[in-house]
């Protein structure tokens, strides 16, 4: 798992990792910087609860719950 975390840390764009339950176990430094959040406030949280529920967007829910299980990743939402 260290190799995965190290790889996430090298990505220049803001990156958020979600588990199968749509909780956020990991993000890179650029994610925290871009969205102005702290790891302690986001790690383990349901994506829809992040940022006072700013991520609770019907279109995003559709992509994550319907599209993502079939495609494995999502970019540029």
């Amino acid at each position: 798992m260290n190799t995965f975390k190290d790889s996430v840390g090298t990505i220049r764009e803001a990156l958020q990792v979600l588990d199968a339950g749509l909780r956020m176990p990991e993000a890179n430094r650029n994610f925290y910087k871009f969205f102005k959040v702290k790891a302690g406030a986001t790690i383990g949280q349901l994506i829809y609860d992040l940022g006072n529920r700013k991520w609770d967007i019907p279109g995003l829910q559709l992509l994550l719950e319907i599209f993502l299980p079939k495609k494995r990743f999502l970019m540029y939402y």
Side-chain angles (χ1 to χ4, degrees), residues 11-71:
I11 297 171
R12 295 175 60 178
E13 290 81 13
L15 176 74
Q16 168 186 56
V17 177
L18 299 175
D19 65 14
L22 299 179
R23 294 193 179 273
M24 194 177 106
E26 188 71 37
N28 68 0
R29 179 180 53 222
N30 291 329
F31 176 86
Y32 299 120
K33 185 176 177 180
F34 184 82
F35 290 103
K36 297 176 179 73
V37 294
K38 303 273 185 204
T42 56
I43 298 296
Q45 295 296 313
L46 185 65
I47 187 171
Y48 308 127
D49 294 336
L50 296 176
N52 295 322
R53 302 192 57 86
K54 289 180 184 173
W55 293 69
D56 191 10
I57 304 164
L60 180 60
Q61 289 179 358
L62 178 70
L63 288 172
L64 292 175
E65 295 173 12
I66 306 298
F67 176 78
L68 188 61
K70 297 175 185 173
K71 293 293 183 182

